[in-house]
Amino acid sequence: MTAFVLNEIRKGFYLDSVALMRLSREIAALPGVREAALMMATPANKAILRDAGLLESGDVEAHGNDLVVAMRADDEPTARAALGQALLALDGRKTQSGAHDAWTPRSIAAAVSAAADANLALISVPGEFAAAEARKALRHGLHVMMFSDNVSIEDELSLKQEARERGLLLMGPDCGTAIIGDAPLAFANKIKRGPVGIIGASGTGTQEVSCLLSEAGSGVSHAIGVGGRDLKKEVGGITTLMAIDALDADEATERVVLISKPPHPDVARTVLARIAKSSKPYTVCFIGLEQVEVPANATFAPTLKDAAKAVLGGLRIGSGFDASAIAARHGVPAGRGARIEGLFAGGTLCAEAQVFLKNAGRRVSSNAPVPGVAVLENAQPGQGDRILDLGADEYTRGRPHPMIDPSIRDDALRTALENTDIAVILLDLIIGYGAHSDPAGHLAEVIAGRRPDAPLIIGSVTGTEADPQIRSRQVRTLEEAGVLVAPSNAQACEVALKVLATVKGEVDAHA
Amino acid sequence: MCAEENRELKPLLANRVKVINVGLEGFVGELRACGIEVTHVDWRPPAGGDPKMAALLAKLGV
């Protein structure tokens, strides 16, 4: 059936990307509307609209400070009615926006004049403009956290060099999580304060470790995000090295955990040599590497849970949890294959799951593989475990991250539930500031009414009791929906492996 | 590669964080709920929405 595409441009009208994505979803849900997108007309967004076939003539006369409303509907009257609703909603949003402040500065310079003692800029503008704003912030003497992604590595390097010259910390870009003192910045959790400093090149890795520490009774002094590329050769670990200096000098920090995907070997050497000079103990977690030679004052942890465990002393993660007992109570339904399908919102949780499965001798492929795991395209379809990072660019282009919009997982989850090759679905829920208000409730709706012989669903909730979503409530919702919930992502993997070992044992016994 | 000595970091960790928020407005409410002072910038794309021009102006300090 043919569809009708309709575009409208609002010149000089700006709303932030999360507000626009929410509106896009509301409009797309109207009857007869097949797709709707409200986006600022930046070059990247215009390409997304073009690729999605949402532009009337293949292009649109609009610039980065103009808003495009684009939709595809069953017919013209439906499209026009939906457009009317979209414009009405935009006007409503604009009226609300800024209503909480009598006067709102329009630039960093004006904001600094109004708040002379401000010390940090949190930047989450579209990637094309983020470097320019970060540069302005540095020149006003502000430390910077760049939440924005799609910043070139050349810009990242020059910004970090400038920050270093000015004695300022540049966290990011693509820095999802940081905690400075009692300030949770962007996607962070409400963590107890304590003696452990975290340096994280990974947002969800930092969230998992900080939550495990907090829930086990310890706490975090500061969590400094450095951005996923900081330990690449091109950037040379500039922010990581500055963060080590900062935490070494910080009286509230007694020990430090460093979390990253495997760094460039030269950068790893530089960072480990700097750690060797520290008077504080370090735990190094380069997730995906099995062993790393670390200095005498450091220990190596191959997984996030090991990293948390290393600094917890006698405290236990998920006290009383027994993976074997749980696995013994929950077998895989008869007639199922033995594959694991991992559907992860957190990139580092996805990496951690791969490490567990790979080390258990399983054949694993992923769209974001750790060393030793096959790239998804090269894997034989239907063979081995498939562990997906649903927050990767190919899933989130023009869409919010699955932590904000868990529906990205829905289709893959429904497909996996029907796939008889799959024995276990492994997944994560990440709560906290910035995240969806009820990801467990959303998931429970999606899996409700699944067939009795559907794969087992095993997961974990990264979060704390003090988070707005309240971890125990999320866990209860999942358990009531029949999901096996472990205290950590690592323990969820452990349960999955034990369940499958039981299946293998039964198969062997019958052979 | 990063042979340069790091300059001493201007105080951040020992001080209370005071934030200037540039971008997603949702962060403002969450930070204020945690008792953090936030000044929100009513940001819109500078330089007529031209990223290259915006980058150039920022480098020039405009």
Side-chain angles (χ1 to χ4, degrees):
Chain A
M1 199 170 80
T2 55
F4 188 83
V5 174
L6 183 63
N7 295 161
E8 170 95 5
I9 297 158
R10 283 265 165 126
K11 290 275 178 195
F13 190 107
Y14 180 80
L15 268 185
D16 74 49
S17 57
V18 170
L20 288 174
M21 282 168 178
R22 285 202 182 114
L23 275 180
S24 301
R25 275 211 305 276
E26 284 171 24
I27 301 303
L30 294 172
V33 176
R34 298 184 189 181
E35 210 170 342
L38 287 81
M39 286 180 155
M40 299 308 297
T42 61
N45 285 345
K46 282 204 278 189
I48 290 168
L49 292 170
R50 194 179 306 117
D51 292 351
L54 279 168
L55 297 182
E56 284 173 20
S57 58
D59 200 2
V60 66
E61 263 303 305
H63 302 285
N65 57 350
D66 303 329
L67 173 71
V68 183
V69 184
M71 63 191 66
R72 189 188 304 115
D74 289 348
D75 50 43
E76 184 172 352
T78 308
R80 294 210 177 277
L83 176 66
Q85 290 232 30
L87 298 179
L88 210 63
L90 280 175
D91 291 338
R93 288 286 316 196
K94 207 61 197 166
T95 313
Q96 288 167 24
S97 174
H100 50 75
D101 284 334
W103 171 81
T104 309
R106 302 282 289 269
S107 66
I108 291 176
V112 169
S113 319
D117 55 351
N119 52 7
L120 184 139
L122 172 53
I123 293 174
S124 55
V125 301
E128 295 98 320
F129 299 98
E133 297 304 324
R135 208 173 292 284
K136 289 177 201 168
L138 292 173
R139 291 180 184 176
H140 282 96
L142 299 169
H143 299 278
V144 173
M145 171 166 173
M146 287 180 88
F147 179 81
S148 310
D149 59 2
N150 293 318
V151 174
S152 74
I153 200 155
E154 293 79 16
D155 277 336
E156 176 173 350
L157 178 61
S158 77
L159 285 166
K160 286 184 169 174
Q161 286 169 332
E162 181 163 350
R164 180 173 58 191
E165 281 162 23
R166 294 176 183 274
L168 296 167
L169 202 57
L170 191 128
M171 297 185 276
D174 200 9
C175 178
T177 303
I179 303 168
I180 304 296
D182 50 8
L185 298 165
F187 287 157
N189 301 84
K190 186 82 176 164
I191 300 293
K192 289 182 196 129
R193 293 213 70 185
V196 183
I198 297 177
I199 301 169
S202 129
T204 51
T206 297
Q207 284 189 271
E208 174 80 346
V209 172
S210 60
C211 291
L212 293 179
L213 294 179
S214 186
E215 291 294 277
S218 181
V220 169
S221 56
H222 310 280
I224 298 175
V226 299
R229 296 184 304 209
D230 192 64
L231 295 171
K232 283 189 179 288
K233 189 174 174 64
E234 295 89 330
V235 184
I238 292 177
T239 303
T240 301
L241 292 167
M242 291 180 74
I244 293 173
D245 287 350
L247 291 174
D248 270 2
D250 178 54
E251 287 178 7
T253 303
E254 291 171 17
R255 53 188 311 146
V256 181
V257 178
L258 169 62
I259 307 161
S260 169
K261 289 186 182 160
H264 186 277
D266 294 348
V267 184
R269 268 192 291 278
T270 308
V271 168
L272 292 170
R274 172 61 190 83
I275 286 174
K277 292 182 189 161
S278 172
S279 60
K280 297 184 181 179
Y282 275 68
T283 300
V284 177
C285 176
F286 292 150
I287 193 129
L289 296 187
E290 282 171 29
Q291 194 49 263
V292 174
E293 206 174 309
V294 292
N297 61 330
T299 50
F300 177 72
T303 66
L304 300 170
K305 181 182 165 240
D306 288 331
K309 205 171 145 193
V311 293
L312 274 171
L315 298 170
R316 295 266 323 258
I317 294 167
S319 193
F321 175 80
D322 184 345
S324 301
I326 292 173
R329 283 200 302 274
H330 297 88
V332 173
R336 295 250 140 222
R339 279 186 51 214
I340 298 176
E341 177 92 339
L343 301 173
F344 285 90
T348 309
L349 299 171
C350 174
E352 187 181 44
Q354 293 174 50
V355 170
F356 269 94
L357 303 188
K358 175 177 75 86
N359 290 348
R362 297 182 65 87
R363 191 164 39 169
V364 186
S365 65
S366 174
N367 62 326
V370 300
V373 162
V375 182
L376 194 59
E377 304 90 79
N378 300 341
Q380 297 283 332
Q383 289 188 346
D385 301 332
R386 200 170 72 134
I387 307 298
L388 299 180
D389 173 6
L390 299 172
D393 290 348
E394 60 265 37
Y395 292 101
T396 54
R397 193 165 174 254
R399 294 192 63 172
H401 191 277
M403 280 165 61
I404 302 176
D405 178 6
S407 68
I408 290 180
R409 180 154 50 195
D410 295 356
D411 286 345
L413 186 54
R414 288 192 185 102
T415 307
L417 285 169
E418 293 297 321
N419 186 336
T420 51
D421 291 339
I422 296 172
V424 169
I425 298 171
L426 259 180
L427 45 78
D428 60 345
L429 260 70
I430 303 165
I431 58 172
Y433 298 110
H436 189 270
S437 59
D438 182 17
H442 179 90
L443 188 85
E445 271 181 33
V446 176
I447 63 176
R450 63 192 182 280
R451 45 199 278 180
D453 64 342
L456 273 183
I457 307 175
I458 304 173
S460 64
V461 178
T462 299
T464 71
E465 279 309 283
D467 280 334
Q469 302 89 341
I470 308 175
R471 185 178 180 280
S472 60
R473 279 197 199 163
Q474 293 288 302
V475 170
R476 198 179 321 127
T477 303
L478 290 179
E479 287 177 341
E480 283 168 4
V483 178
L484 304 186
V485 186
S488 66
N489 181 53
Q491 284 156 310
C493 297
E494 200 185 333
V495 175
L497 288 170
K498 284 189 188 294
V499 166
L500 287 164
T502 314
V503 174
K504 187 173 180 301
E506 283 172 8
V507 170
D508 290 348
H510 288 92
Chain B
M1 197 181 63
C2 49
E4 300 88 342
E5 280 295 307
N6 288 344
R7 279 212 181 171
E8 194 175 335
L9 197 69
K10 289 189 180 159
L12 176 65
L13 303 187
N15 291 15
R16 197 161 168 73
V17 170
K18 293 189 179 176
V19 176
I20 289 181
N21 185 56
V22 193
L24 301 178
E25 205 171 349
F27 291 147
V28 175
E30 291 178 340
L31 283 164
R32 285 188 183 153
C34 295
I36 308 299
E37 278 183 45
V38 188
T39 304
H40 181 61
V41 174
D42 182 15
W43 185 88
R44 49 206 62 214
D50 179 347
K52 284 185 184 159
M53 186 59 73
L56 182 64
L57 292 176
K59 278 185 183 156
L60 294 171
V62 178

